[in-house]
């Protein structure tokens, strides 16, 4: 077999392959054997029909077609390996010549990973938000905890903002009560925004036993997105009572004995959260700077596949679970279809470029992934997916996704290397020394993009 490579553009090549006919022998033998098992000829036992009889009865062309279909993947793979290519996706194969007993010639066009030059990245500098926890932040945190320990007691008056009301609801669309449009004994805090638009105005000022009717767009159920006439009856009004902010509350709501200790712990937790956010911000901004340094051509077919995958996942998984259509989602977001398309394409381009650059860095820095790192990453992914580690691991293995997880971890390590080499300052001008382990944890998640479509 002889092969040659023609570069069509930085991300696409054409392989020209010439195969001497004798190298098709194994595939020809397999073709005759397969046809033998599928057909019957009077006078011959099944599986014992001579090749010349198969040629006469079914045509030599059918045998050649079967043999070529069997042989092409093998010869294509050999040509790819010989040229040391990193193909993306499936090739477009064209048989240019097939002469029985002489030769098989074909071409294969395929997208490839572009060759990238990673420049010196040690000069990258980024600015991130300073970690500052104010007294107001602490008070807000403690107030949220206080809200969780609020109690309610029924009152004989009209409902006001902040009250907890017990409601009976009935929704009609076009005059018909929906099968899933009736609910009794629903507890709702006025002003929380957790039910239907317009319900706050409908129930405020109403006492137990009173009802009101209003129009609202349904957020879920069988008639999600449709305008409904909703009748709401108030069966009880209860006032919320917050506990006093004192040492007794601290003992009730936490493991601390005093309110001062509780506030000090809140301040510490808020600082940790802001440091975590600061590290994430540093990784994102370093990655943006890194991508600016590298010229990364993006294969058009790969880009189209990635855009379509992102739109499909949004429309059929994320929005589907919320009972929203894409049009309704765009309306809520205040975006046009053109703006959505542009944003999706830009995000896909960034995702593909990120993977290409970080994969190149993995090679350049000779980064490897050990079992402990893979296990830790699997545990994090399992937690975010809502599955147990065992369930997630089984799904990963059965789906052949282990190499994808290894790639995610390796790219996370590559990004951590760049972050470590960069100069990160906060808005106060202070140089930030980010924790390496936290960098790798977050970087792994930051680099999880275009996994299925860009894997080569």
């Amino acid at each position: 077999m002889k092969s040659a490579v023609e570069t069509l553009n930085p991300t696409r090549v054409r392989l020209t392959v010439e195969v001497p006919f004798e190298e098709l022998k194994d595939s020809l033998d397999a073709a005759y054997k397969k046809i033998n098992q599928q057909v019957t000829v009077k006078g011959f036992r099944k599986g014992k029909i001579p090749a010349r009889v198969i040629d006469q009865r079914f045509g030599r062309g059918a045998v050649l077609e079967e043999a070529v279909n069997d042989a092409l993947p093998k010869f294509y793979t050999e040509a790819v390996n010989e040229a040391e290519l990193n193909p993306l996706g499936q090739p477009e194969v064209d048989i240019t010549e097939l002469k029985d007993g002489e030769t098989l010639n074909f071409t294969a066009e395929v997208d490839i990973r572009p060759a990238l030059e990673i420049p010196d990245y040690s000069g990258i500098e980024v600015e991130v938000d300073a970690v500052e926890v104010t007294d107001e932040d602490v008070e807000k945190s403690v107030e949220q905890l206080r809200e969780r320990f609020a109690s309610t007691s029924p009152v004989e008056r009209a409902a006001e903002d902040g009250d907890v009301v017990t409601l009976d609801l009935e929704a009609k669309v076009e005059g018909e009560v929906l099968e899933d449009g009736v609910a009794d004994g629903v507890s709702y805090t006025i002003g929380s925004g957790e039910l239907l638009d317009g319900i706050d105005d409908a129930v405020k000022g109403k006492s137990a036993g009173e009802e009101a009717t209003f129009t609202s767009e349904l957020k879920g159920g069988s008639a999600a997105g449709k305008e409904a006439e909703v009748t709401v009856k108030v069966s009880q009004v209860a006032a919320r009572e917050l506990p006093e902010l004192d040492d007794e509350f601290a003992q009730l709501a936490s493991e601390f004995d005093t309110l001062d200790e509780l506030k000090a712990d809140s301040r510490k937790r808020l600082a940790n959260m802001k440091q975590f956010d600061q590290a994430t911000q540093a990784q994102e901004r370093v990655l943006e700077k890194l991508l600016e340094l590298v010229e990364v051509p993006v294969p058009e077919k790969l880009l189209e596949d990635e855009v379509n995958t992102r739109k499909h996942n949004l429309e059929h998984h994320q929005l589907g679970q919320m009972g929203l259509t894409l049009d309704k989602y765009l309306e809520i977001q205040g975006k046009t279809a053109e703006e959505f398309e542009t944003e999706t394409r830009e995000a896909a381009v960034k995702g593909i470029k990120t993977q290409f650059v970080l994969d190149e860095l993995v090679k350049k820095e000779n980064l490897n992934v050990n079992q402990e790192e893979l296990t830790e990453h699997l545990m994090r992914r399992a937690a975010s997916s809502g599955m147990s580690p065992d369930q997630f691991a089984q799904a990963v293995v059965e789906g052949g996704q282990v190499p994808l997880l290894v790639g995610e971890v390796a790219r996370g390590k590559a990004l951590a290397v760049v972050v470590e080499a960069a100069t990160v300052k906060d808005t106060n001008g202070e140089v930030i020394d980010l924790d390496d382990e936290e960098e790798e944890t977050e970087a792994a998640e930051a680099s999880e993009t275009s996994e299925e479509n860009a894997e080569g």
Side-chain angles (χ1 to χ4, degrees):
M1 185 196 81
K2 294 192 302 182
S3 64
V5 181
E6 176 188 357
T7 300
L8 303 178
N9 61 50
T11 63
R12 193 167 180 83
V13 297
R14 178 188 293 123
L15 287 163
T16 301
V17 184
E18 298 179 10
V19 183
F21 204 79
E22 56 266 23
E23 293 187 31
L24 284 171
K25 183 179 184 308
D26 289 345
S27 293
L28 278 169
D29 291 344
Y32 279 117
K33 186 175 181 180
K34 182 176 181 180
I35 294 174
N36 241 309
Q37 299 300 321
Q38 295 175 336
V39 301
T40 56
V41 175
K42 189 174 181 180
F44 297 95
R45 285 182 297 163
K46 196 174 186 65
K48 300 295 183 179
I49 308 170
R52 59 178 177 77
V53 174
I54 290 178
D55 289 346
Q56 291 169 357
R57 296 291 297 270
F58 304 102
R60 174 71 167 178
V63 179
L64 288 175
E65 181 179 355
E66 182 67 38
V68 169
N69 288 339
D70 175 74
L72 276 177
K74 180 185 71 171
F75 292 125
Y76 165 72
T77 301
E78 287 180 9
V80 164
N81 293 337
E82 186 178 285
E84 298 182 345
L85 300 175
N86 291 310
L88 300 166
Q90 296 301 311
E92 295 179 6
V93 178
D94 182 26
I95 298 174
T96 55
E97 187 175 29
L98 175 59
K99 288 186 177 180
D100 194 358
E102 295 183 27
T103 186
L104 162 66
N105 298 336
F106 68 92
T107 61
E109 287 191 17
V110 67
D111 287 331
I112 60 169
R113 285 178 175 265
L116 301 180
E117 285 292 330
I118 305 295
D120 179 18
Y121 48 78
S122 61
I124 290 178
E125 294 187 12
V126 298
E127 184 180 75
V128 295
D129 295 335
V131 173
E132 297 174 345
V133 180
T134 65
D135 291 344
E136 184 181 346
D137 292 331
V138 175
E139 295 299 330
K140 182 178 179 181
S141 175
V142 172
E143 190 63 27
Q144 289 173 341
L145 182 62
R146 188 182 176 208
E147 291 276 351
R148 286 168 49 192
F149 284 84
S151 60
T152 59
S153 57
V155 291
E156 298 295 329
R157 60 165 172 77
E160 301 172 355
D161 267 328
D163 285 343
V164 179
V165 289
T166 304
L167 308 173
D168 296 334
L169 298 163
E170 181 185 83
K172 293 181 180 178
V173 173
E174 297 177 353
E176 296 291 330
V177 178
L178 299 171
E179 288 186 12
D180 55 355
V182 177
D184 294 333
V186 177
S187 180
Y188 174 66
T189 301
I190 299 176
S192 66
E194 294 174 353
L195 277 179
L196 299 168
D197 293 339
I199 195 167
D200 287 342
D201 291 336
V203 298
K204 272 193 294 189
K206 297 290 185 295
S207 300
E210 295 183 327
E211 64 179 47
T213 300
F214 64 101
T215 301
S216 182
E217 184 178 294
L218 298 178
K219 296 180 179 179
S222 61
K226 292 185 178 180
E227 288 287 329
E229 182 184 88
V230 182
T231 299
V232 56
K233 181 177 181 180
V234 179
S235 57
Q236 179 180 279
V237 178
R240 298 176 76 248
E241 298 176 359
L242 297 174
E244 290 293 326
L245 273 180
D246 51 22
D247 291 347
E248 187 176 337
F249 168 71
Q251 294 164 19
L252 170 69
S254 71
E255 70 271 29
F256 301 106
D257 293 326
T258 68
L259 183 60
D260 287 343
E261 289 175 329
L262 173 60
K263 288 184 176 181
D265 181 69
S266 294
R267 186 178 295 275
K268 182 179 178 180
R269 286 189 299 101
L270 289 169
N272 288 338
M273 290 171 58
K274 292 198 174 189
Q275 286 172 347
F276 187 85
D277 292 341
Q278 185 188 65
T280 302
Q281 191 179 64
Q283 291 147 14
E284 292 172 349
R285 293 183 179 179
V286 167
L287 177 60
E288 288 174 2
K289 291 281 188 179
L290 177 64
L291 294 181
E292 290 173 6
L293 293 177
V294 188
E295 184 67 31
V296 187
V298 176
E300 190 59 36
K301 177 66 165 59
L302 178 64
L303 176 58
E304 291 304 320
D305 289 345
E306 176 66 7
V307 168
N308 290 335
T309 296
R310 286 171 181 255
K311 290 195 289 191
H312 177 85
N313 288 341
L314 174 66
E315 191 167 2
H316 297 281
H317 297 292
Q318 300 169 42
L319 297 183
Q321 292 176 356
M322 295 187 288
L324 293 175
T325 64
L326 180 58
D327 288 342
K328 186 61 184 177
Y329 168 76
L330 294 180
E331 181 184 326
I332 293 172
Q333 294 292 314
K335 295 177 184 176
T336 65
E338 292 75 18
E339 289 171 335
F340 169 71
E341 182 73 27
T342 298
E343 289 180 7
T344 304
R345 183 168 292 270
E346 288 175 351
V349 168
K350 183 179 179 181
I352 293 170
K353 286 185 175 182
T354 296
Q355 181 168 335
F356 284 173
V357 170
L358 294 182
D359 282 347
E360 192 66 30
L361 266 169
V362 169
K363 290 193 296 182
K364 180 179 180 179
E365 302 293 344
N366 295 314
L367 300 175
N368 296 307
V369 176
N370 60 41
Q371 186 60 49
E372 183 181 356
E373 291 167 333
L374 182 59
T375 300
E376 288 176 358
H377 184 60
L378 187 147
M379 298 281 281
R380 288 194 299 272
R381 289 290 303 273
S384 64
S385 71
M387 301 169 68
S388 73
D390 287 344
Q391 289 174 324
F392 188 78
Q394 182 178 354
V396 166
V397 172
E398 290 178 353
Q401 304 295 300
V402 173
L404 298 184
L405 286 190
V406 172
E408 289 173 5
V409 178
R411 284 187 280 278
K413 295 180 72 171
L415 182 53
V417 168
V418 183
V419 173
E420 186 177 355
T423 299
V424 181
K425 294 182 179 180
D426 67 17
T427 49
N428 294 330
E430 296 290 328
V431 175
I432 306 300
D433 184 17
L434 296 169
D435 178 77
D436 290 345
E437 183 176 350
E438 186 174 66
E439 284 175 21
E440 291 184 15
T441 298
E442 285 304 297
E445 296 175 5
S447 66
E448 288 165 19
T449 48
S450 314
E451 292 300 336
E452 295 182 3
N453 291 323
E455 189 68 16

